[in-house]
Amino acid sequence: MHELSIMQSALDQVLDQARQAGAARVHAIRLRIGALSGVVPDALRFAFEALADGTPAQGAQLVIEDVPARFWCAACHQEFEAARMFAECPGCHRPSTELRAGREMELTSLEVD
Amino acid sequence: MCQECGCGLPGEKPVGISAHHHDHDHGHPHHDHGHGHSHSHPHSHGEGEHQYTHSHSHSHEHGEHDHAHGDTIGQHRVLEVRQAILEKNDRLAERNRGFFHARGLLVLNVLSSPGSGKTTLIRETVRRLGQRLKTAVVVGDLATDNDAQRLRESGAPVVQINTGTVCHLEAGMVARALKELDLNGVQLLIIENVGNLVCPASYDLGEDSRVVLLSVTEGEDKPLKYPPMFQSAGVAVVSKIDLAAACDFNRETVATNLRRLAPRAQMFEVSAKTGQGMDAWCEFLIQQHQAVKARDPLGA
């Protein structure tokens, strides 16, 4: 249920940026959401529909890029994508304590006019 | 100007995107007619028509945005932002962290499903630590101050945060609660989050470590069901261990699941009720506080 407040934060940033740029309308919003961010993209879309109503972002396309969880294996000197979120190197099966990507919740860019 | 794409009217001179201020109602769909974004104008501004004067000033404005924010795709401008959505919370969390560091406080963010035994564990932890580690507690719930009352039985200063409908604590709520808390002589601050294994995972409060509880009644596969929370844990506490046999709880399975998902996390098995495992848990907190005290307050 926290997707609603996270989407509200994102929308506040979107509208701020649009206002500063003197834009009248927001046409597209791009987000990056990590697999370990604790946020469900579908729930974000649902929240966006509800929150954007009546704002310059109403009807904007919401593009969500999923960022997979990636860890660093210090033994194999390589990054690996976590299968089932397991921090376990597929090469040597050792656990990794270094998360390199997957917690992102980022507003990447907007399209406005 | 055209509300659809910011272009000029069809057939007009190509000018900057937000060039025209006269109102018109021509509702055409998005179209690509390659109007320029050049800011040079062949006409003379001094004697230009009203419309051109506007063009000039707005074109400049557009030019600035263009340089500051990036490219133009078709009729739309692209604004590069690259900002964390919870940037405001993250900033407040860093402010809390600075405050905690300056005071030499060890700060724990305690998280679990509702009913895993957070309040009981904290109450018994405070009792056992006594004067060895003076503790204060901030506790979050949607409603009631029942938990605060239970925690006060331990003798610790306690502040209750009621979040209303909000399913997690945020850094700003903690900052406000700290103003009501007497931190004189306090060495350990325990923040009991709202009972919820999903939402609080996204919010940094400025803590040193996250302590995630899992009671034996919840099943060994709980970490697999809630990866973001368990992955972020610095400590995993298996609680109500006195009920393990009654629940057919397999300790090896949960240990394996935690190791695969959260190899960083230190594991403890405790029963706040019988005291099993509580000595090791309290010793660990005292050691952690020693490490915090040895930390350079400037973060070097």
Side-chain angles (χ1 to χ4, degrees):
Chain A
M1 66 195 268
H2 69 315
E3 278 81 0
L4 200 63
S5 60
I6 286 175
M7 197 63 233
Q8 185 65 63
S9 303
L11 188 61
D12 289 346
Q13 288 176 5
V14 165
L15 297 176
D16 258 6
Q17 294 281 341
R19 198 166 35 241
Q20 283 171 30
R25 297 260 295 133
V26 178
H27 292 277
I29 299 167
R30 292 195 160 70
L31 306 179
R32 294 178 81 232
I33 301 294
L36 284 170
S37 68
V39 173
V40 182
D42 275 348
L44 281 181
R45 285 182 223 280
F46 179 79
F48 178 69
E49 297 284 314
L51 294 169
D53 233 19
T55 73
Q58 184 176 341
Q61 191 192 1
L62 185 63
V63 184
I64 298 178
E65 181 194 338
D66 297 316
V67 183
R70 295 187 71 81
F71 291 87
W72 170 255
C73 177
C76 302
H77 290 279
Q78 64 171 6
E79 254 185 38
F80 62 90
E81 195 169 310
R84 298 176 65 201
M85 310 287 178
F86 286 162
E88 203 173 80
C89 174
C92 66
H93 301 289
R94 286 196 183 89
S96 161
T97 53
E98 197 181 332
L99 182 70
R100 285 274 173 99
R103 298 199 80 88
E104 295 79 355
M105 269 193 279
E106 187 188 81
L107 171 62
T108 320
S109 66
L110 309 178
E111 279 180 38
V112 300
D113 69 20
Chain B
M1 76 186 216
C2 163
Q3 294 303 301
E4 287 299 318
C5 67
C7 70
L9 273 170
E12 280 200 7
K13 269 188 183 205
V15 286
I17 256 182
S18 48
H20 300 276
H21 258 209
H22 53 268
D23 288 320
H24 52 251
D25 186 9
H26 58 277
H28 57 74
H30 285 214
H31 45 215
D32 187 2
H33 53 194
H35 54 268
H37 299 281
S38 141
H39 309 290
S40 63
H41 296 278
H43 57 273
S44 148
H45 294 294
E47 55 192 70
E49 294 169 25
H50 179 65
Q51 176 187 332
Y52 286 134
T53 312
H54 274 256
S55 297
H56 178 71
S57 64
H58 284 278
S59 293
H60 268 290
E61 194 186 321
H62 167 62
E64 284 161 23
H65 294 308
D66 217 15
H67 293 302
H69 297 285
D71 301 325
T72 302
I73 289 186
Q75 302 87 347
H76 301 159
R77 279 182 289 158
V78 176
L79 309 182
E80 295 292 339
V81 184
R82 298 204 172 277
Q83 197 171 61
I85 293 172
L86 293 181
E87 189 246 5
K88 194 171 157 194
N89 182 76
D90 293 347
R91 255 189 299 135
L92 290 172
E94 281 309 321
R95 201 160 76 176
N96 287 351
R97 192 165 276 122
F99 174 80
F100 298 147
H101 281 200
R103 285 190 157 259
L105 274 171
L106 170 65
V107 182
L108 305 178
N109 183 2
V110 180
L111 305 126
S112 78
S113 316
S116 297
K118 291 185 294 299
T119 308
T120 308
L121 174 68
I122 294 168
R123 189 187 62 198
E124 291 311 307
T125 301
V126 173
R127 274 192 178 145
R128 280 168 181 270
L129 287 171
Q131 292 307 307
R132 289 189 294 164
L133 202 59
K134 202 169 169 242
T135 307
V137 185
V138 172
V139 54
D141 281 296
L142 271 63
T144 82
D145 70 339
N146 294 352
D147 280 3
Q149 288 183 29
R150 286 175 61 205
L151 288 161
R152 280 190 192 106
E153 294 166 9
S154 68
V158 179
V159 174
Q160 174 85 49
I161 301 175
N162 281 140
T163 59
T165 56
V166 180
C167 52
H168 55 267
L169 287 181
E170 297 182 10
M173 298 176 189
V174 172
R176 283 193 295 278
L178 290 174
K179 290 181 185 155
E180 297 174 37
L181 205 54
D182 180 8
L183 289 172
N184 239 331
V186 170
Q187 296 156 302
L188 167 65
L189 176 67
I190 301 181
I191 303 169
E192 180 183 337
N193 218 308
V194 178
N196 179 338
L197 267 183
V198 184
C199 314
S202 306
Y203 293 86
D204 183 10
L205 304 180
E207 70 270 13
D208 290 299
S209 186
R210 287 186 176 186
V211 179
V212 181
L213 261 74
L214 158 70
S215 68
V216 297
T217 59
E218 295 168 60
E220 302 87 350
D221 58 350
K222 199 110 192 205
L224 305 183
K225 291 176 177 169
Y226 298 90
M229 183 62 85
F230 282 94
Q231 212 289 321
S232 74
V235 182
V237 176
V238 179
S239 61
K240 308 187 189 179
I241 198 71
D242 53 308
L243 300 178
C247 300
D248 283 333
F249 184 80
N250 189 324
R251 298 154 83 150
E252 248 329 290
T253 307
V254 82
T256 306
N257 287 341
L258 281 168
R259 269 198 302 270
R260 301 185 85 179
L261 201 69
R264 221 165 40 90
Q266 299 212 39
M267 265 184 66
F268 292 89
E269 292 182 345
V270 303
S271 166
K273 193 173 163 192
T274 67
Q276 185 183 341
M278 288 296 287
D279 284 343
W281 164 241
C282 289
E283 277 311 313
F284 168 75
L285 294 179
I286 291 166
Q287 280 172 21
Q288 290 293 300
H289 178 253
Q290 293 297 329
V292 162
K293 264 204 325 195
R295 180 173 58 194
D296 186 317
L298 294 176

